[in-house]
Amino acid sequence: MENKPYIIELEKIGSPSLGYITVAEYQKNIPFDIKRVYWTYFTPNDVLRGGHAHKKLNQVIFAVSGIITFTTEDLQGNKETFVLDTPNKGLFIPEKLWRDIQFSHNAVLLCLASEVYAEEDYIRHYDEFKKL
C-alpha cells in the first residue's frame, strides 16, 4: 500500500439508459480490509471539514453525489488537491496525511475505512501533525 494519496477509479457497470453500479471490494480494488463504512451529507458548502489526520487509519473516500474537493498535506509539507466529481472515483488517503474537505451543495461523502472508530487515532491539531 502506498503512503501517499492517489485516485482509485473503479469500474462503472451499466449504461446511460439503464444506470450504473460500481463495486468496491477488498483485495480487488480497495487496498485494505474494510472495517468501517460511513457517509456524511447535508454539509453546507460554506463549511470547511476535515482539519485532521490519522495515526494509523487508511481510507478510500468517494463523492457518491455532488463534488468534494480535498486538499492534503504529507509530513514533508507536500500539498495536493483532489477533486472527486464522479461516484466511481475514490481518493485513497493513507495514515499521517492532513486533509481539508470542501463540499458542493448536496454532496454525499462515502468513506471506506481500515479501522473501527477510535478517537485516540485522530490528530486534530496541525502543530501536533507537523511534529510527527
Side-chain angles (χ1 to χ4, degrees), residues 54-99:
H54 291 278
K55 295 173 186 170
K56 69 177 198 170
L57 179 80
N58 293 284
Q59 301 169 301
V60 176
I61 297 179
F62 299 89
V64 293
S65 180
I67 300 170
I68 302 173
T69 303
F70 281 80
T71 303
T72 64
E73 182 177 348
D74 65 19
L75 292 172
Q76 291 73 42
N78 299 310
K79 295 182 181 182
E80 292 185 79
T81 299
F82 298 91
V83 178
L84 301 178
D85 54 4
T86 62
N88 67 311
K89 185 168 68 171
L91 175 61
F92 171 72
I93 301 179
E95 62 188 32
K96 298 180 181 84
L97 191 82
W98 192 264
R99 84 285 316 269

Side-chain angles (χ1 to χ4, degrees), residues 13-31:
I13 304 164
S15 68
S17 61
L18 298 174
Y20 296 95
I21 183 173
T22 295
V23 179
E25 297 176 291
Y26 169 59
Q27 293 186 337
K28 183 175 180 186
N29 52 22
I30 302 300

Side-chain angles (χ1 to χ4, degrees), residues 40-60:
T40 62
Y41 48 94
F42 298 149
T43 303
N45 59 359
D46 59 345
V47 172
L48 188 64
R49 293 208 45 175
H52 67 271
H54 291 278
K55 295 173 186 170
K56 69 177 198 170
L57 179 80
N58 293 284
Q59 301 169 301
V60 176

Side-chain angles (χ1 to χ4, degrees), residues 88-114:
N88 67 311
K89 185 168 68 171
L91 175 61
F92 171 72
I93 301 179
E95 62 188 32
K96 298 180 181 84
L97 191 82
W98 192 264
R99 84 285 316 269
D100 291 310
I101 311 166
Q102 186 71 51
F103 290 75
S104 71
H105 178 69
N106 285 338
V108 178
L109 177 151
L110 175 70
C111 178
L112 308 177
S114 67

